[in-house]
Amino acid sequence: MKTNPPAMHVLLNAPALKNYPKDSLKSLATALFKAHQETPFTCTNLDEWVGLVKERYHAVMSPPLKPLYNATGVVLSTNLGRACLEPSHLKELELLSGYVNLEVDDTGKRANRCHLVQELLKMLFGAEDALILNNNASALVLVASVFAPKAQNKETLLSYGQLVEIGGHFRAHELLDCVTNLKFVGSTNKTYLQDYQHALSPQTTLITTIHLSNFLQQGFVASVGAKELFKLATAHKILFYEDLGSLQSVPQVQKFLKHAHLVSFSADKLLGSVQGGIVLGAKECVQALAKHPLYRAFRADKIQIYMLARSLQAHIQGQTNPTQRFLAQDQDALLNKALKLLQLLGGMPATLIETTALIGGGVVDTGLKSFGLLLTPKRDFKEFHNVLHQQGLACVLRSDGVLLDTFALFEKDLVGIARIVKSAL
């Protein structure tokens, strides 16, 4: 039997809620009552309503993130936080519990908070200048705002073949369209240099290319290389900018830098670090970005700066990060990891199979050979998959079972993973 919710004061004054903050509970209870109006709950008494409020309060007050074991086979999984951070660097963050020299130099004078990171980026990539932003999408907005602002009726050339959508329904061209007049050139599958040439007008001040993310164009296709676009832009005294998105090596970035005024990419994917956007290129262009008012809205905070600086220092010194160590695994190591997990599962219904892992994070790759365990319990596979995830094991639901790909699993976690599987079964 469904009943109306209790009066607010009756609910908040219930003895079981005596030690809870009343203002916070009132906000939760108001939302709860509103949801009840749309889809009635089956609460029959005051205790059940109190239980619902307490449940929602504890859910809101729980830690914002919880650990998961990554048995999906995707190393840079956006859903799972992308790159795993270096544990030793995270331990150092305790220093941020006090005051730090974020924007002062050794004399106590005001200083650039990103100076060290910028110097490290220039050292690593051989760039004239560098800028660090809160993410790579910010780079798109800032570059277009500075060099082809819509307010001044300037326009940016972009190929139809690069109208890309990535995770979360994010479309880079829609973001660009907020700050610049986009003029599309070519066609979906074929764009030629002459398309850019014909599209040039007195209002054109920027040519940009956008990384295709995690898909490939094959077959009857054509595109224009960076070298040609850089030459065209330079000849017409306009800017050529490449959004590189996700790359996996420093040499790749260095190669693109040779044929662009500016490039940008995601810090977390290439460097196995925290989220951030890195812009590299000609000094006068980078400085123009840093002077624009929007830069303040996009600048990195002290945690990003510290972690990125430590990641860059480690990279320069030849140290590897968790992402690089995963990608460097050989077949014997992967097979041994899968066999060890199989042994830990004992007599569980599991079969060792070959799998294909992915780098993820928008990186285009044809797959990485891996091994996994296919679990085939005598129960509904979807239900079993959900139980595993609720207990902290992210895995893959298939029509023939539930797959645990071992590529992105730390060997130290195998015992804990086996415990979760046994518990779920």
Side-chain angles (χ1 to χ4, degrees):
M1 176 183 176
K2 297 176 183 178
T3 61
N4 292 326
M8 181 68 75
H9 73 279
V10 173
L11 177 62
L12 298 182
N13 289 319
L17 299 178
K18 179 181 178 181
N19 296 322
Y20 290 79
K22 290 293 186 287
D23 289 342
S24 300
L25 288 188
K26 185 175 181 180
S27 175
L28 292 173
T30 299
L32 199 63
F33 292 168
K34 184 175 181 180
H36 174 73
Q37 291 175 347
E38 298 173 359
T39 305
F41 302 141
T42 56
C43 296
T44 59
N45 55 54
L46 177 62
D47 288 343
E48 291 182 1
W49 282 102
V50 169
L52 274 180
V53 173
K54 287 174 65 175
E55 181 182 314
R56 293 203 171 192
Y57 177 82
H58 289 298
V60 170
M61 299 307 293
S62 64
L65 300 175
K66 66 178 183 179
L68 286 174
Y69 299 120
N70 181 9
T72 66
V74 181
V75 179
L76 294 173
S77 172
T78 299
N79 293 349
L80 305 185
R82 293 182 179 171
C84 296
L85 303 178
E86 183 60 43
S88 61
H89 297 166
L90 287 169
K91 291 177 182 177
E92 297 171 8
L93 284 179
E94 186 178 353
L95 68 88
L96 296 182
S97 64
Y99 297 105
V100 294
N101 60 331
L102 179 64
E103 289 190 358
V104 293
D105 60 20
D106 292 339
T107 68
K109 293 181 179 179
R110 182 73 176 264
N112 174 15
R113 64 168 60 190
C114 298
H115 174 73
L116 176 59
V117 174
Q118 290 168 195
E119 290 303 308
L120 290 167
L121 287 168
K122 289 191 286 184
M123 184 188 305
L124 180 60
F125 295 102
E128 279 189 27
D129 209 349
L131 200 65
I132 172 69
L133 306 172
N134 56 3
N135 61 47
N136 192 43
S138 298
L140 273 172
V141 174
L142 188 57
V143 171
S145 298
V146 172
F147 296 105
K150 181 176 285 190
Q152 297 178 21
N153 200 33
K154 303 302 182 181
E155 64 185 22
T156 299
L157 302 188
L158 178 67
S159 169
Y160 275 110
Q162 294 171 2
L163 304 188
V164 179
E165 178 179 309
I166 60 174
H169 305 293
F170 174 74
R171 297 173 177 175
H173 60 278
E174 292 181 346
L175 186 62
L176 280 172
D177 193 48
C178 295
V179 294
T180 187
N181 293 310
L182 277 179
K183 180 185 283 189
F184 301 121
V185 301
S187 65
T188 302
N189 60 318
K190 288 202 173 190
T191 301
Y192 304 99
L193 181 62
Q194 65 186 29
D195 293 319
Y196 288 94
Q197 293 170 329
H198 293 160
L200 287 169
S201 74
Q203 285 73 45
T204 306
T205 53
L206 178 65
I207 298 176
T208 189
T209 58
I210 294 175
H211 175 63
L212 293 185
S213 192
N214 53 355
F215 74 96
L216 295 170
Q217 287 185 327
Q218 296 178 320
F220 195 60
V221 298
S223 60
V224 185
K227 189 174 183 179
E228 294 175 286
L229 291 177
F230 179 56
K231 185 177 180 180
L232 177 66
T234 303
H236 287 82
K237 297 181 179 180
I238 61 177
L239 194 88
F240 174 53
Y241 157 61
E242 281 209 86
D243 168 18
L244 302 177
S246 308
L247 292 176
Q248 282 302 300
S249 76
V250 172
Q252 283 180 310
V253 177
Q254 293 171 331
K255 177 183 176 182
F256 283 108
L257 261 176
K258 293 178 181 179
H259 306 297
H261 297 99
L262 290 171
V263 301
S264 72
F265 53 91
S266 297
D268 52 334
K269 298 166 187 174
L270 171 62
L271 299 169
S273 187
V274 291
Q275 179 172 313
I278 292 174
V279 183
L280 304 175
K283 187 172 184 177
E284 61 179 344
C285 296
V286 173
Q287 290 183 348
L289 296 176
K291 292 176 182 177
H292 194 275
L294 271 179
Y295 170 61
R296 174 114 185 159
F298 298 146
R299 66 179 183 171
D301 71 356
K302 60 186 178 182
I303 296 178
Q304 285 178 299
I305 291 169
Y306 187 90
M307 291 297 291
L308 183 54
R310 296 297 283 122
S311 297
L312 289 166
Q313 290 167 340
H315 205 99
I316 290 170
Q317 293 172 335
Q319 301 169 17
T320 59
N321 56 54
T323 298
Q324 291 170 321
R325 293 195 285 273
F326 276 133
L327 297 179
Q329 295 174 107
D330 60 31
Q331 291 299 295
D332 288 341
L334 288 166
L335 179 57
N336 287 335
K337 193 160 46 169
L339 288 170
K340 183 176 180 179
L341 181 57
L342 182 63
Q343 183 180 27
L344 288 168
L345 290 177
M348 298 294 105
T351 305
L352 177 66
I353 63 172
E354 289 189 2
T355 61
T356 301
L358 296 169
I359 297 175
V363 177
V364 178
D365 67 294
T366 55
L368 306 164
K369 186 177 179 181
S370 179
F371 296 92
L373 301 183
L374 185 65
L375 307 178
T376 53
K378 294 181 179 179
R379 60 188 290 187
D380 182 75
F381 294 155
K382 184 175 182 179
E383 178 195 8
F384 180 60
H385 170 270
N386 292 343
V387 170
L388 291 176
H389 194 89
Q390 289 166 7
Q391 295 190 23
L393 179 56
C395 46
V396 182
L397 176 63
R398 302 190 353 171
S399 60
D400 56 347
V402 175
L403 173 66
L404 306 183
D405 193 304
T406 58
F407 196 94
L409 292 177
F410 294 99
E411 191 158 344
K412 65 181 178 61
D413 294 331
L414 296 182
V415 173
I417 292 168
R419 190 180 301 118
I420 288 176
V421 175
K422 290 179 179 179
S423 172
L425 287 170

